Amino acid sequence: MQLNKISILTLCCAGLMACDAGNGEGLNDNGRPLSEVGASIALSPTLDSLQANLFTPNCAVSGCHSGSSAPLGLSLEAGNTFANLVSRASVQQPGKLRIQPGDAINSYLVQKVEGASGITGNRMPRDRARLDQALIDNLKLWINNGAPVSSSATGSLPPVVSQSTPASDARLSALPASISIVFSRAMDISTLEDLTLNLLSAGGDAGFSDGNESALIIQPTLSADGLTLTLDLSANASVGNPAIEDSYQLTIKGEGAAVARDLNSQVLDGDGNGQAGGDFVLTFRVAASALLPVFSSLEADFFVPNCAKSGCHSGGSPQAGMNLEQGNVYNSIVAVQSVFAPTLQRINPGNADDSAIVQAIEGTILAIPQMPFDNQGGIPQADINVLRQWVDNGAIP
Amino acid sequence: MKQLSIFTFLLIAVYSFPAFAEPYLALRSGQKCMSCHVNPTGGGKRSDAGSTFGQFVLPEKAGADLWNGRVNPYLAMGGDLRANLNYVDRESGDNQSAFETERASLYLEITPIKDVLTLYVDQLMTPSASNREAYALMWNEERSLYFKAGKMFLPYGLRLEDDSAFIRSASGINFANADNGIEGGFESEAWTLNAALTNGSNGGDENNTGKQISLRLEHFQSNWRSGASFNLNDGDADAGRTMFNIFGGLQWLGIDWLAEIDAIKDEGTTVGDIDRLAALLEANRLLAKGQNLKVTLEYYDPDTDVDEDQQTRTSVVWEYTPLSLLQIRVGLRIAEGIPQATDDQNDDLLFVQLHSWF
């Protein structure tokens, strides 16, 4: 009996230890015979290439997104990928599409592979290294190109503006040195020039049609992937000057003789109606703070709207025990020791630099994430300067 | 009185129910997984005996008081946290080191009818909140038959903690893939039979009329056990998966041996039918109280009809449980796959893990 056990175990151990990994001869990167799959496909923003380089080797592996038991019914084998991903609602977050053609940023698949905050479950691929950035970039480019099924198709959706910095209707404390525009599809830089780009200042009023506007100098550059347009404003004297208050309007032409186009010559869908054409218009303003360096103004127009939100500094269990609802603010902050930075007072009367709240709002304190947590960096410096002034004046109630 | 209670629990734990989470602990103690877990097929929240084992038997230094997560006679809680520091030596690409909260789970056990009806929830808190299991569990009076309905991990092979083990990742039956359906089981001193009928969509919406059948039979003796599993997932018209495995454990030469071999057949893939093979051999040695050394050999052939595509792994893990409810694991995993692979099949892993539970 003992001999039998020894024999069996020895056989098991020897058997497994004798199993070497394959030498890969005659196989492609994914371990499939070259005769079966042909030559490897270079990485590019097409479905065929992404299937070969991304989905098959990273997702459609045994036990994962392959076969009849693919999680969430989501097989990503060749032939299934398009139908299961493009314009299909996510099971984990039904309000989102796994792939939203033309909008990589809001496609749930992109959020999953990037491990974005707010996803349900694990980053993908689960328990494996993060996908190479080149794979993710090509995936996003394919999606932004409309996620066409055929590698020869160009996609039917016209390009749109996915994101802008500053955001529309933003209030800034000074004119920024640059404006950033993210498009849904790779753009043709030759169509982004003086005739299609126009940045106006309103001339002191909020109107852009009364004849007192003036054009600003803009220097456009396009990122290598063709998606991000940066407008350099540094040649304008008003950049960074908080004393010059005005409204600004950026127009990217999608209507008229000269229009912005993507690399497939599709005209910009500036008004976002799903049809090529229409101007994209972004307005923002530069304005000094409306706050006064007195407590009543700061409490009503600074702390309460920015901090006393549900789940933040309000209610019976406010974050850090600091209730910033109307009537509670002063006693919660002035000369009170910070919980997360115990060497500091939340507001140190007479010393804004050494006040934890000021540092937290400016994002300069390691112990506390930048505040407001849901709008980090979103408070204009002009408003912060008023808060600083009140603190330096002694934080008088 | 309290000391007497703890002493009684200790006696029970040492002599009756010394099992804890990993199959080798069940083997080492000659018990079934259900001895220490609420779930009859193991994993998740510990039972009172499991809590006692984890606090008084497993660690080098036993705890002073018993914490079994019981809030009142009808409600008990449990949890697991695994925090890692990983260093990955990547074959293709830059090496990586990262802190990672691998998993934090909370368990809720509601027992409206003691020993008969349990409502159970296993909720993953991080990374990202999601439900892993949620089911109603009913036992007969003799505790020889049970029935489950809801979302559950499927009975199949060895219930290893490591989802990335080839036998668990290739089969797709692991802690990441609970499924909706029903499960029944028979338990006797020497036998366990589990059978489940589920959607076969791993927790997702069902998109076809086919169902997944999982069967698992295991025979127990004091120092060895063996079993076999079968799984059929009937997908749409052409696609389907059939799996079969044999597994077992043996206490021998002071080592707790575990082994499993899985044969997997996928039908209706884009390259036709594929036969896969995965195997694991694990040796566990109790070095001293609170210390276990684990050596694992793994093998995976992703397509038995294709030559030179096999993958292997060798792992060495030292598990040290210095205190009650706290374990430190240090491990090295050497992986070998085809040289041209651009995924992680050639990436070596060095990790330190802090595992805490209650």
Side-chain angles (χ1 to χ4, degrees):
Chain A
M1 184 64 184
Q2 185 77 344
L3 190 61
N4 280 345
K5 286 182 180 174
I6 294 173
S7 304
I8 292 167
L9 269 173
T10 305
L11 276 173
C12 283
C13 290
L16 267 182
M17 293 184 79
C19 293
D20 286 331
N23 63 21
E25 194 176 313
L27 307 178
N28 70 355
D29 294 352
N30 304 326
R32 300 305 304 172
L34 291 172
S35 57
E36 170 188 289
V37 296
S40 60
I41 302 174
L43 182 60
S44 65
T46 64
L47 179 58
D48 289 346
S49 172
L50 290 168
Q51 185 66 53
N53 294 287
L54 192 160
F55 295 119
T56 296
N58 294 289
C59 315
V61 295
S62 179
C64 296
H65 293 285
S66 70
S68 56
S69 59
L72 308 178
L74 182 49
S75 166
L76 295 179
E77 293 171 302
N80 296 330
T81 304
F82 186 87
N84 280 334
L85 288 180
V86 178
S87 299
R88 285 287 299 273
S90 160
V91 171
Q92 292 182 337
Q93 297 192 6
K96 295 180 179 176
L97 297 179
R98 287 168 174 162
I99 283 182
Q100 185 168 335
D103 193 350
I105 292 173
N106 290 309
S107 294
Y108 191 55
L109 174 68
V110 173
Q111 296 172 6
K112 287 286 281 187
V113 299
E114 290 188 326
S117 61
I119 61 172
T120 302
N122 301 77
R123 172 185 61 74
M124 289 290 149
R126 185 177 182 274
D127 293 333
R128 305 178 75 174
R130 188 180 193 274
L131 290 178
D132 284 343
Q133 193 57 45
L135 290 173
I136 297 177
D137 289 345
N138 276 275
L139 172 66
K140 291 164 81 170
L141 201 50
W142 173 64
I143 295 172
N144 283 330
N145 284 341
V149 66
S150 164
S151 57
S152 58
T154 58
S156 56
L157 290 176
V160 296
V161 172
S162 302
Q163 191 176 317
S164 69
T165 307
S168 184
D169 297 325
R171 195 193 79 189
L172 309 177
S173 56
L175 185 66
S178 66
I179 295 173
S180 173
I181 302 292
V182 179
F183 294 96
S184 63
R185 304 184 62 166
M187 299 298 286
D188 180 353
I189 183 62
S190 69
T191 67
L192 297 168
E193 34 79 45
D194 288 349
L195 293 176
T196 57
L197 300 172
N198 185 24
L199 178 61
L200 296 176
S201 64
D205 53 40
F208 293 94
S209 58
D210 48 8
N212 64 341
E213 301 80 23
S214 58
L216 277 76
I217 303 168
I218 52 177
Q219 183 63 44
T221 56
L222 195 62
S223 60
D225 61 8
L227 295 174
T228 304
L229 173 70
T230 302
L231 302 175
D232 184 357
L233 309 182
S234 57
N236 298 283
S238 53
V239 167
N241 188 345
I244 301 176
E245 298 185 22
D246 207 345
S247 294
Y248 296 86
Q249 183 180 75
L250 170 71
T251 303
I252 304 176
K253 299 292 288 181
E255 202 73 59
V259 292
R261 296 176 183 271
D262 67 11
L263 288 175
N264 294 314
S265 293
Q266 290 209 82
V267 175
L268 175 73
D269 173 14
D271 50 12
N273 64 357
Q275 305 292 323
D279 295 342
F280 170 77
V281 179
L282 166 70
T283 56
F284 59 93
R285 65 192 177 103
V286 171
S289 176
L291 297 171
L292 298 172
V294 297
F295 176 69
S296 58
S297 170
L298 287 164
E299 179 178 48
D301 298 322
F302 184 91
F303 287 109
V304 171
N306 287 305
C307 315
K309 301 171 184 172
S310 175
C312 298
H313 296 288
S314 68
S317 301
Q319 297 291 326
M322 184 167 69
N323 188 312
L324 297 181
E325 291 174 299
Q326 188 80 27
N328 296 315
V329 175
Y330 194 87
N331 290 335
S332 294
I333 62 173
V334 177
V336 176
Q337 185 183 36
S338 165
V339 171
F340 294 110
T343 58
L344 297 175
Q345 292 179 357
R346 286 169 175 165
I347 290 296
N348 186 349
N351 192 340
D353 285 341
D354 282 341
S355 295
I357 285 178
V358 175
Q359 293 186 18
I361 292 169
E362 292 181 336
T364 58
I365 186 168
L366 290 177
I368 306 173
Q370 187 171 16
M371 293 291 156
F373 194 70
D374 62 348
N375 185 25
Q376 294 182 328
I379 296 183
Q381 189 59 46
D383 287 359
I384 300 175
N385 289 341
V386 175
L387 171 68
R388 282 180 154 276
Q389 189 180 348
W390 170 69
V391 177
D392 284 334
N393 288 343
I396 298 165
Chain B
M1 188 64 191
K2 186 177 176 183
Q3 284 178 324
L4 182 63
S5 299
I6 293 173
F7 181 71
T8 306
F9 266 121
L10 268 173
L11 280 179
I12 292 170
V14 171
Y15 293 108
S16 300
F17 302 106
F20 189 75
E22 295 240 35
Y24 81 85
L25 289 168
L27 171 67
R28 183 173 288 167
S29 56
Q31 296 297 318
K32 297 181 177 183
C33 296
M34 62 173 280
S35 300
C36 281
H37 289 276
V38 174
N39 189 340
T41 53
K45 187 186 178 303
R46 287 86 186 167
S47 60
D48 286 351
S51 297
T52 307
F53 178 76
Q55 293 172 62
F56 295 102
V57 180
L58 188 67
E60 182 180 57
K61 184 179 179 184
D65 297 305
L66 174 66
W67 161 251
N68 60 7
R70 194 155 290 286
V71 179
N72 61 43
Y74 307 103
L75 175 66
M77 299 179 70
D80 268 285
L81 173 78
R82 292 177 185 269
N84 296 359
L85 171 57
N86 296 331
Y87 180 83
V88 181
D89 183 0
R90 298 192 66 191
E91 191 77 7
S92 57
D94 297 333
N95 295 345
Q96 295 175 334
S97 67
F99 289 103
E100 173 200 35
T101 305
E102 181 183 302
R103 180 166 73 86
S105 292
L106 281 179
Y107 314 122
L108 197 62
E109 177 193 5
I110 303 167
T111 313
I113 308 174
K114 185 174 167 52
D115 296 330
V116 175
L117 176 62
T118 297
L119 306 179
Y120 180 79
V121 177
D122 176 341
Q123 188 73 18
L124 186 67
M125 308 306 289
T126 190
S128 302
S130 62
N131 175 257
R132 300 207 311 170
E133 284 192 301
Y135 57 76
L137 168 65
M138 288 146 278
W139 284 96
N140 66 346
E141 267 187 48
E142 294 75 28
R143 223 169 163 76
S144 58
L145 295 169
Y146 75 84
F147 177 78
K148 277 199 281 192
K151 184 178 178 183
M152 64 197 76
F153 302 132
L154 301 180
Y156 187 79
L158 296 172
R159 181 148 288 178
L160 293 181
E161 175 61 32
D162 181 9
D163 279 352
S164 65
F166 285 143
I167 57 169
R168 294 285 70 87
S169 62
S171 67
I173 295 187
N174 49 51
F175 288 110
N177 285 334
D179 205 4
N180 290 296
I182 55 176
E183 179 187 312
F186 165 75
E187 301 284 351
S188 73
E189 190 174 336
W191 292 93
T192 284
L193 173 65
N194 315 107
L197 179 67
T198 58
N199 281 337
S201 57
N202 286 342
D205 290 345
E206 177 62 299
N207 55 4
N208 56 61
T209 56
K211 290 289 172 280
Q212 179 169 224
I213 299 167
S214 305
L215 298 171
R216 184 181 184 278
L217 178 68
E218 188 170 12
H219 178 69
F220 298 87
Q221 290 296 320
S222 59
N223 63 346
W224 66 272
R225 61 195 58 201
S226 64
S229 310
F230 172 78
N231 180 283
L232 171 65
N233 191 0
D234 181 20
D236 54 25
D238 301 318
R241 164 173 279 205
T242 308
M243 300 192 292
F244 172 76
N245 75 20
I246 53 172
F247 59 92
L250 173 68
Q251 288 178 284
W252 183 59
L253 296 177
I255 293 174
D256 303 297
W257 302 85
L258 292 171
E260 180 176 318
I261 299 176
D262 289 68
I264 302 164
K265 185 179 190 68
D266 281 321
E267 295 171 289
T269 77
T270 50
V271 293
D273 295 354
I274 295 180
D275 291 302
R276 312 176 197 272
L277 191 66
L280 172 138
L281 179 65
E282 182 181 298
N284 288 276
R285 170 75 177 177
L286 183 65
L287 300 176
K289 183 170 166 53
Q291 292 189 55
N292 181 68
L293 183 68
K294 182 197 301 281
V295 178
T296 308
L297 303 176
E298 293 181 79
Y299 173 80
Y300 179 46
D301 186 344
D303 189 339
T304 57
D305 290 332
V306 173
D307 293 333
E308 302 300 342
D309 64 342
Q310 300 87 349
Q311 301 169 37
T312 64
R313 283 187 198 145
T314 306
S315 309
V316 180
V317 181
W318 175 62
E319 297 171 328
Y320 177 44
T321 313
L323 302 170
S324 170
L325 309 181
L326 181 72
Q327 185 178 64
I328 297 161
R329 305 174 79 232
V330 182
L332 173 67
R333 189 169 76 186
I334 307 293
E336 281 192 74
I338 59 173
Q340 64 268 44
T342 55
D343 60 10
D344 61 352
Q345 60 181 273
N346 289 295
D347 294 352
D348 299 332
L349 171 69
L350 177 66
F351 72 89
V352 180
Q353 181 183 79
L354 187 146
H355 176 207
S356 184
W357 69 91
F358 70 92

